[in-house]
Amino acid sequence: MNPGQFFASSRVLIVAGKGGVGKTTASATLALAAARTGLSVLLVEVAGRSATAPMFGADAPGYEESVVYDEADHGSVRCRSITPDDALVEWLTNHGFSRIAKRMARSGLLEIVATATPGIKDLLVLGRIKALESEGVADLIIVDAPAAGHAIQFLQAPVGVRDTARTGVLNRQALEVLEMLDDPTRCRAMLVSIPEETPINELIETAFAVEDEVGLALGPVVINGILPRIEGLDAVEAPPDLTADEAADVQLAAALRRDRQSLQAEQLDRLETQLPLAQIRLPQLFTTEIGLPELIELADAAITSIESLDWS
Amino acid sequence: MTTYRDLVEGCEVVVCCGTGGVGKTTTAAATAMAAAAMGRRAAVVTIDPAKRLADALGISELGNDPTVIDGPWSGTLAALMLDTKATFDDVVRHHATSDEQAETILANRFYKNISTSLSGTQDYMAVEKLAELHSSGDWDLVVVDTPPTRDALAFLEAPKLLTRLLDNTIYKILISPSQGVLRAVNRAAGSVVRQLSRVVGAEVVDDAIEFFQSFQGMEEGFRERADATLTLLGADATAFVLVASPRADTIVEAKYFLDRLGKADLDAAAVIVNRVLPALSVDLSRAQQMAGSHPGGGTQALADHAAAAVGDDDRIADLLSSAPEATVVRVPLLPSDVHDIDTLHHIATLLTD
């Protein structure tokens, strides 16, 4: 599939996955890949502190936007973060509740409201994203969803709020967000995982739950940290001019790599059989920190992977 | 210097904390297994374990009481998978002044939200379960896995979850509808309630008021329980074990965790670093040189391994500098996932030998 067409197919991509699977790296990678097809991209983080801006070699953004990537011949990436508390106060203020907004923040009423309507904070973040989408602030909005617990919690929030707050302005907000989630030309989710047993199990469960319970369309899944396959790991003979320690190192590394590769192949096969979704595969980089050069390498891999997708 | 073995042998409570994806549940289960191997009666409370691990432990069926696992240990090993809602219901029944009061609360929608989807409830019930098992006298050691949260304090604040709601001034106004001095306050509260109803819908507000009103008479029991639980978490026989991996992002999270733990005047008694790449005798440049001069699968694997391990030692040292008193165990990256008793036993051995 043509990568430009791929990234233009929805205006919002929600990148979700459990903690520890490289969801934030995947979000930054997709944002850069989309920008390299010429789009202007807004990368939204929901956590308090930005983890993506440093990957672009930029300072962390606050509630205001900042440009982290802008190359001639390419599009651009802007970053911003949206925190639930800010979103709530902003939302109440915009809906004529500025007095109650202040009072809620002061009196602890907020806690009772949040308890009474679970998911309200996630809903308001999604509501803010929906507003950005309607304003057309970018060709593509990529959301790095919160990592806490299961990916599905964030995505289920609007359904939960709609069912809890059955009247009132909040209910209307939930319905508006659901309208966006139900329309694949406006919004899709991309789930992230790594090729290990437990994360793959969770990916499969989440994927089915998202489509069944949220009605949100899924894009291809992103599999992070794929070990490039090395051949010739069976019956490795260490070269003769190495010391005994060096030869032992070669054997150790070869045996470990062989085991990890076969475990990975097993999990990827299983994923293909059990989940009928296309996969974007990102290689494991043998570096410790991700900066712009590494991000470009990953974005190129994503683009190559998308080009070979048979997806529509 | 105490070893992890000493800790497993001497503690009454072990709390395994850390971010998701670092092998926390596995470490918790292996810790309990190690205690059983020493002849102790050990129970592990797991939260959302991977299915195959749950199968191996025989706890796939949701049961809220420990299931004893047979195996080659002289003590007793039992595991349970925390059922947050069922635990919360038990707590309500325990503190209720009558069956009727309990049933009213259990049927209330606001309560259902608290007991199923409120963030922090899982932590709260994990602590409750821990306290319940500890005080039963049936177990020498209770190990508890914690939900994946960024903030160590979320777990410590969990027992205060409900009492904090009860301390809320709005709540106090809501449950005392017409007492003289509060009449003026109540007019103000009434306007807040009306505005709130426009935001979240009237029935949500009604549910909340009903919940708080039906809760009367139970606060004291909940408060005492919260205090007792916090005392248990701070006790000498309770050890916090931080589980981490050498990856840069998880080290950042682990340090943040230690920092937050320190703010509550608590220390991590041990740091378990999982998934450590086995050490090599060669460094990266020599490994790359070997891959260049002797191209082949083995030397390529070696060069990748050396590159991936660069900085691991520094990052682990950096983490440990934040917990200088802690016992440290490095668990090597294993060739397979952990989902059977044998592999778990292997990890138990790695932790305590």
Side-chain angles (χ1 to χ4, degrees), chain A residues 55-113:
Chain A
M55 295 180 185
F56 289 92
D59 289 333
Y63 203 68
E64 299 302 316
E65 283 178 22
S66 63
V67 177
V68 293
Y69 180 83
D70 193 6
E71 291 286 308
D73 308 332
H74 289 165
S76 63
V77 180
R78 288 169 290 149
C79 271
R80 66 168 290 173
S81 81
I82 295 178
T83 70
D85 289 346
D86 292 338
L88 177 62
V89 170
E90 191 174 312
W91 180 78
L92 286 170
T93 309
N94 290 344
H95 286 77
F97 293 104
S98 59
R99 260 185 62 225
I100 202 174
K102 287 191 201 96
R103 204 195 286 225
M104 278 170 78
R106 214 174 38 230
S107 67
L109 189 58
L110 189 54
E111 212 172 340
I112 292 189
V113 172

Side-chain angles (χ1 to χ4, degrees), chain B residues 38-53:
Chain B
M38 293 170 189
R40 305 190 79 197
R41 298 170 302 162
V44 56
V45 178
T46 67
I47 290 164
D48 204 12
K51 191 171 178 308
R52 279 175 73 174
L53 180 63

Side-chain angles (χ1 to χ4, degrees), chain B residues 77-160:
Chain B
L77 175 64
L80 73 83
M81 183 156 77
L82 183 75
D83 179 343
T84 308
K85 174 87 168 70
T87 308
F88 215 134
D89 290 355
D90 287 345
V91 175
V92 168
R93 287 200 189 93
H94 176 79
H95 290 293
T97 53
S98 67
D99 288 352
E100 199 192 352
Q101 183 181 28
E103 294 315 313
T104 310
I105 293 172
L106 297 186
N108 179 275
R109 266 193 303 259
F110 187 83
Y111 167 74
K112 284 182 183 160
N113 293 336
I114 292 184
S115 59
T116 52
S117 26
L118 179 61
S119 97
T121 298
Q122 215 177 27
D123 306 69
Y124 181 17
M125 289 305 119
V127 186
E128 272 294 335
K129 201 64 186 174
L130 162 69
E132 178 198 319
L133 294 176
H134 179 258
S135 63
S136 72
D138 294 339
W139 309 102
D140 302 318
L141 173 69
V142 182
V143 184
V144 64
D145 179 19
T146 56
T149 38
R150 267 202 78 210
D151 191 348
L153 293 188
F155 188 69
L156 296 167
E157 283 169 1
K160 292 189 214 152

Side-chain angles (χ1 to χ4, degrees), chain A residues 197-198 201, chain B residues 25-26 29 44 46-63 67 69 79-82 338-341 344:
Chain A
E197 181 167 340
T198 307
N201 286 343
Chain B
T25 310
T26 309
V44 56
T46 67
I47 290 164
D48 204 12
K51 191 171 178 308
R52 279 175 73 174
L53 180 63
D55 287 345
L57 293 170
I59 53 169
S60 308
E61 294 303 313
L62 208 68
T67 306
I69 302 153
L80 73 83
M81 183 156 77
L82 183 75
V338 181
H339 44 62
D340 57 41
I341 296 289
L344 211 52

